[in-house]
């Protein structure tokens, strides 16, 4: 197995520190927290901190919402435009308040079926609402992961239903060679995210895909298999790539990596393929 | 900085940083963006000016002669400078949530800055372009180059009455604090309307339209609107806004904040100088800032030291004395039109949490 570039995994302990506290100039910066911000934004904040001559920290990028039915849809659809801190800071709204937020978001462009919208509002009102949330939901059932449903809930918001992407913003997954760069690369993108700039099918994309590590090992394996065999993608044309299993994903999940590390890996793999 | 949304680079300046500079440096200036121009996500990660050689602004709509003006056209015209507060309409939203939760970024007072803009007066640009608007084109719509990542999504568009007197002072800004405007703050060209909330100051200005109606964009018709009458939590929700019962968040309400001391400052018993800034929409001067050191029971008049023009922070200070113990400091500004601030800002509670202007409250512990 290929060694993963060693970038620090976001340190979740600094997620609670959201304010720069005035501190003596000798106090150390918290680079591990800054590293948790998307690369470019992290550098911007670092500039501000240096100007301030003080120490500081910033919330981690990988905000986790409480597990519950519908959470995956929030992860899959809301992060097209903004990260989950928007959701976190709105915590405490009642069902009408969350429903109103969804009105706003639909007017800004998120496309949801009535069923998806209902699930999202139910989740937010229950787990991010004005009443204490119920005990964590029972573990997922043993039903086999459904690649098509996973794609619709997690990927289609950005990459579109037809997997053709959005010009200059989200790369296509249809006919995207990245899917077959190596056995593991696609799973790493899903688990750890991917930051641009990248070129896909001749188009430039300079964006950042967040990690989708809330998906289970089996779900990611199913999603990889689905992507490699739909939208005109043909896994059979790559006999050298063995089928990725849930056990493989479990190993990848333990790696410390982030969107920039995955991009570095991509650069390596693309360079090798030339 | 206080991060509200890392993906979009949305961040707020702690007052302990903001107070260090009368003119806010770009490195610590608050950022509130929705979407970058397509393919320009990288613009969100730097305080550099965008590397664009050419920039075009289309002036069109219900006009006889649509025109396109370029960055070079603007550079060749007479430039004016002004210092103005830039402030997010959601600045202070957190304090509304103390009454009833309001969705969105929980901004305290740091969603504002005091910066110098330089550019060409909007009226001069329109006059020179001479596009010949139709008589019933009563609205001017400003559109930026931002683009929603959702293919059918809306982007930020703002409309103003053609005769709006605030537009008389508006400029097509090319510089901020003496440098080309950082991309993240709307460069290369930003519509700056002194005295208007941040969202009205359209970034990456690319289009000006004369129209008979205001833009149907949800950013004009639904978002960034303030209710016309006071509403109560539970009886008026975000779903109840329409263009009849609300207005766009145009002009700043009169506002003031305490810069020193802040809750984290160590204050020794004895003489102390309480300092802060006040501002409004610039229509009338700030004539009074009153300060209380006992939570609002008694008040003293602060000295207004003034500022760099009608739209800039007006500095104020009060020399007083504080005993050891806990003190609730408060301040209230008023202007020559009698416009002031409520002691309890939540009287203006609104479900979107805009235009907070409650009297500041800082609890300090004096040792």
């Amino acid at each position: 197995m290929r060694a993963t570039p060693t970038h620090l995994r976001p340190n979740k302990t600094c997620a609670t520190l959201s304010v720069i506290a005035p501190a003596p100039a000798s106090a150390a910066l918290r680079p591990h927290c800054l590293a948790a911000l998307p690369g470019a934004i992290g550098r911007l904040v670092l500039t501000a901190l240096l100007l301030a001559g003080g120490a500081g920290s910033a919330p981690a990028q990988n905000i986790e919402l409480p597990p519950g039915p519908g959470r995956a849809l929030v992860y899959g659809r809301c992060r097209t435009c903004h990260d989950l801190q928007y959701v976190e800071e709105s915590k405490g709204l009642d069902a009408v308040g969350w429903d109103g937020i969804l009105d706003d978001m639909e007017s800004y462009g998120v496309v949801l079926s009535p069923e998806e919208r209902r699930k999202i509002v139910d989740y937010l009102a229950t787990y991010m609402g004005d009443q204490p949330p119920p005990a964590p939901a029972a573990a997922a059932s043993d039903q086999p992961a459904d690649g098509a449903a996973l794609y619709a809930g997690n990927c289609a918001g950005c990459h579109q239903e037809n997997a053709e992407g959005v010009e200059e913003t989200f790369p296509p997954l249809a006919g995207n060679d990245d899917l077959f760069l190596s056995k593991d690369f696609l799973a790493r993108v899903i688990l750890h995210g991917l930051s641009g700039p990248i070129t896909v099918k001749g188009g430039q994309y300079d964006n950042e895909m967040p990690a989708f590590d809330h998906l289970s090992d089996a779900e990611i394996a199913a999603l990889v298999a689905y992507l490699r065999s739909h939208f005109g993608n043909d896994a059979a044309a790559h006999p050298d790539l063995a089928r990725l299993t849930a056990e493989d994903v479990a190993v990848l999940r333990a790696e410390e990596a982030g969107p920039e590390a995955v991009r570095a890996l991509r650069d390596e793999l693309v360079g090798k393929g030339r | 900085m206080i991060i509200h949304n890392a993906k979009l680079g949305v961040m707020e300046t702690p007052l302990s940083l903001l107070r260090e500079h009368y003119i806010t440096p770009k490195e610590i200036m608050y950022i509130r963006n929705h979407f970058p121009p397509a393919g320009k996500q990288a613009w969100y990660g730097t305080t550099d000016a965008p590397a664009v050689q050419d920039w075009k602004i289309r002036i069109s709509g219900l006009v006889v002669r649509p025109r396109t003006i370029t960055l070079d056209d603007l550079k060749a015209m007479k430039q004016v400078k002004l210092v103005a507060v830039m402030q997010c309409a959601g600045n202070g939203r957190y304090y509304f949530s103390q009454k009833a939760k309001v969705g969105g970024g929980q901004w305290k007072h740091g969603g504002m800055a005091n910066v110098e803009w330089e550019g060409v007066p909007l009226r001069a640009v329109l006059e020179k372009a001479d596009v010949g608007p139709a008589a019933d084109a009563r609205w001017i719509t400003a559109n930026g180059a931002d683009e929603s990542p959702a293919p059918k999504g809306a982007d930020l568009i703002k409309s103003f009455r053609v005769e709006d007197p605030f537009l008389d002072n508006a400029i097509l800004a090319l510089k901020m604090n003496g440098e080309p405007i950082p991309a993240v703050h709307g460069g290369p060209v930003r519509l700056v309307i002194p005295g208007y909330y941040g969202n009205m100051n359209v970034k990456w200005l690319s289009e000006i339209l004369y129209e008979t109606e205001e833009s149907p964009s949800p950013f004009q018709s639904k978002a960034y609107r303030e209710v016309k009458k006071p509403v109560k939590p539970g009886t008026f929700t975000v779903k109840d806004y329409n263009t009849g019962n609300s207005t766009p968040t145009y002009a700043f309400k009169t506002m003031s904040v305490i810069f020193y001391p802040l809750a984290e400052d160590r204050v020794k018993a004895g003489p102390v100088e309480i300092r802060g800034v006040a501002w409004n929409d610039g229509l009338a001067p700030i004539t009074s800032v009153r300060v209380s050191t006992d939570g609002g029971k008694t008040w003293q008049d602060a000295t207004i030291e003034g500022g760099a023009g009608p739209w800039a922070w007006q500095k104020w200070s009060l020399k007083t004395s504080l005993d050891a113990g806990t003190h609730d400091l408060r301040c209230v500004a008023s202007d020559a039109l009698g416009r002031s601030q409520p002691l309890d800002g939540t009287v203006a509670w609104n479900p979107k949490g805009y235009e907070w202007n409650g009297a500041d409250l800082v609890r300090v512990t004096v040792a």
Side-chain angles (χ1 to χ4, degrees):
Chain A
M1 200 182 80
R2 171 174 292 278
T4 303
T6 51
H7 280 236
L8 280 174
R9 187 150 179 90
N11 180 333
K12 287 172 188 176
T13 58
C14 60
T16 54
L17 301 167
S18 60
V19 181
I20 292 177
S26 61
L29 283 168
R30 295 173 183 273
H32 59 284
C33 287
L34 290 168
L37 288 168
I41 301 299
R43 284 192 291 279
L44 192 83
V45 174
L46 186 62
T47 310
L49 292 176
L50 291 173
L51 187 86
S57 59
Q61 169 195 4
N62 59 336
I63 291 167
E64 267 194 57
L65 301 182
R71 184 180 74 160
L73 270 176
V74 174
Y75 279 39
R77 292 308 177 83
C78 305
R79 294 188 297 175
T80 299
C81 292
H82 57 80
D83 67 20
L84 296 174
Q85 192 166 344
Y86 183 86
V87 181
E88 186 117 313
E89 291 195 18
S90 299
K91 184 177 181 176
L93 285 174
D94 60 15
V96 175
W98 279 117
D99 201 50
I101 297 270
L102 266 290
D103 280 358
D104 285 352
M105 296 305 148
E106 287 191 326
S107 75
Y108 299 155
V110 69
V111 179
L112 301 169
S113 70
E115 175 70 3
E116 287 170 331
R117 179 175 163 139
R118 190 187 57 73
K119 280 185 184 166
I120 288 176
V121 172
D122 282 354
Y123 170 79
L124 293 171
T126 305
Y127 293 91
M128 303 295 284
D130 58 343
Q131 304 294 324
S141 67
D142 296 335
Q143 282 183 350
D146 173 355
L150 287 166
Y151 182 81
N154 290 281
C155 317
C158 296
H159 296 286
Q160 306 303 306
E161 271 179 56
N162 60 7
E164 292 294 342
V166 176
E167 196 180 2
E168 294 187 278
T169 307
F170 306 118
L173 297 175
N176 181 336
D177 292 340
D178 280 18
L179 273 59
F180 304 102
L181 267 181
S182 75
K183 177 184 172 187
D184 302 333
F185 179 72
L186 179 56
R188 284 194 167 108
V189 172
I190 298 170
L191 273 170
H192 306 310
L194 173 63
S195 69
I198 57 171
T199 302
V200 177
K201 292 172 79 174
Q204 298 279 333
Y205 301 88
D206 190 1
N207 211 331
E208 183 159 304
M209 169 171 155
F212 282 70
D213 54 1
H214 61 284
L215 297 174
S216 71
D217 297 339
E219 286 172 330
I220 290 177
L223 195 49
V224 167
Y226 179 79
L227 286 168
R228 284 178 170 169
S229 56
H230 289 76
F231 311 115
N233 299 325
D234 185 4
H238 299 267
D240 51 321
L241 290 187
R243 190 180 172 87
L244 188 86
T245 66
E247 290 71 32
D248 296 331
V249 177
V251 173
L252 300 174
R253 187 185 293 277
E255 290 173 347
E256 296 194 336
E260 298 213 10
V262 176
R263 213 269 310 290
L265 171 64
R266 181 183 187 276
D267 290 347
E268 263 180 61
L269 291 170
V270 171
K272 229 174 197 179
R274 281 205 182 108
Chain B
M1 300 293 282
I2 303 163
I3 313 291
H4 287 297
N5 195 319
K7 183 180 173 75
L8 299 175
V10 179
M11 59 183 92
E12 166 175 3
T13 317
L15 294 197
S16 56
L17 274 183
L18 203 52
R19 69 183 179 186
E20 295 297 316
H21 312 267
Y22 181 70
I23 297 292
T24 310
K26 64 180 181 180
E27 288 84 357
I28 62 165
M29 184 174 174
Y30 86 96
I31 298 169
R32 175 44 171 140
N33 282 322
H34 293 270
F35 317 120
K40 305 292 187 195
Q41 185 77 25
W43 283 15
Y44 275 15
T46 171
T47 51
D48 291 343
V52 290
Q53 301 302 320
D54 194 19
W55 190 262
K56 290 189 172 70
I57 300 168
R58 182 79 175 155
I59 307 178
S60 175
L62 276 181
V63 302
V64 183
R65 297 171 294 272
R67 292 275 160 82
T68 298
I69 54 169
T70 67
L71 197 51
D72 286 342
D73 293 337
L74 290 174
K75 283 178 181 169
M77 293 179 72
K78 187 173 185 294
Q79 312 286 308
V80 298
K81 282 185 190 178
L82 57 92
V83 176
V85 174
M86 185 62 71
Q87 179 187 206
C88 182
N91 197 27
R93 176 179 290 135
Y94 165 80
Y95 302 106
F96 284 123
S97 283
Q98 294 175 329
K99 181 173 190 177
K101 182 70 185 188
V102 170
Q106 300 297 301
W107 297 80
K108 293 187 175 176
H109 286 313
M112 64 151 169
N114 190 52
V115 289
E116 184 192 77
W117 300 99
E118 184 175 343
V120 186
L122 170 69
R123 298 287 192 205
V125 172
L126 296 176
E127 192 178 323
K128 183 157 188 257
D130 189 25
V131 292
D136 59 349
R138 296 192 185 91
W139 292 86
I140 286 181
T141 289
N143 189 5
D146 62 317
E147 224 170 85
S148 168
K152 290 179 184 167
D155 64 343
L156 196 133
I157 296 177
K158 291 292 160 183
S159 297
F160 314 91
R161 292 276 182 183
V162 167
E163 71 279 9
D164 184 341
F166 281 83
L167 295 187
D168 298 348
N169 302 307
I171 61 172
L172 271 53
L174 307 179
K175 287 185 175 177
M176 188 182 95
N177 295 350
E179 293 178 53
I181 303 172
V184 78
H185 294 300
V189 183
R190 182 170 188 180
L191 175 63
V192 170
I193 309 174
Y196 268 14
Y197 283 104
N199 66 98
M200 299 295 163
N201 298 258
V202 175
K203 295 177 176 177
W204 316 300
L205 185 70
S206 58
E207 188 176 41
I208 296 172
L209 296 172
Y210 281 93
E211 294 182 312
T212 57
E213 304 288 341
E214 61 190 304
S215 169
S217 162
F219 280 97
Q220 171 76 11
S221 61
K222 289 183 176 177
Y224 289 115
R225 297 189 74 88
E226 169 66 312
V227 288
K228 286 181 180 170
K229 292 178 184 172
V231 296
K232 284 183 183 162
T235 61
F236 186 96
T237 77
V238 287
K239 301 168 90 69
D240 295 321
Y241 282 86
N242 60 48
T243 52
N245 63 19
S246 64
T247 54
T249 51
Y250 284 140
F252 291 159
K253 285 183 177 170
T254 302
M255 185 58 187
S256 60
V257 293
I258 296 166
F259 272 171
Y260 181 85
L262 297 170
E264 63 262 37
D265 287 320
R266 292 180 180 181
V267 183
K268 284 185 182 162
V272 61
E273 188 178 54
I274 301 171
R275 296 190 302 271
V277 293
W279 68 96
N280 64 358
D281 58 13
L283 280 185
I286 300 286
T287 47
S288 155
V289 175
R290 293 187 305 151
V291 176
S292 173
T293 58
D294 54 14
K297 293 192 194 82
T298 60
W299 295 86
Q300 293 171 266
D301 281 320
T303 302
I304 297 172
E305 296 160 14
W311 305 289
W313 280 343
Q314 309 297 310
K315 293 164 74 171
W316 57 262
S317 63
L318 172 73
K319 288 192 170 80
T320 185
S321 180
L322 293 176
D323 301 332
T326 300
H327 296 266
D328 283 343
L329 309 183
R330 310 213 69 185
C331 64
V332 172
S334 308
D335 71 13
L337 292 173
R339 298 177 304 175
S340 189
Q341 305 177 243
L343 275 183
D344 175 7
T346 66
V347 295
W349 185 93
N350 60 93
K352 288 183 181 256
Y354 291 133
E355 301 190 3
W356 170 265
N357 80 326
D360 197 3
L361 168 60
V362 176
R363 178 164 290 183
V364 291
T365 302
V366 177

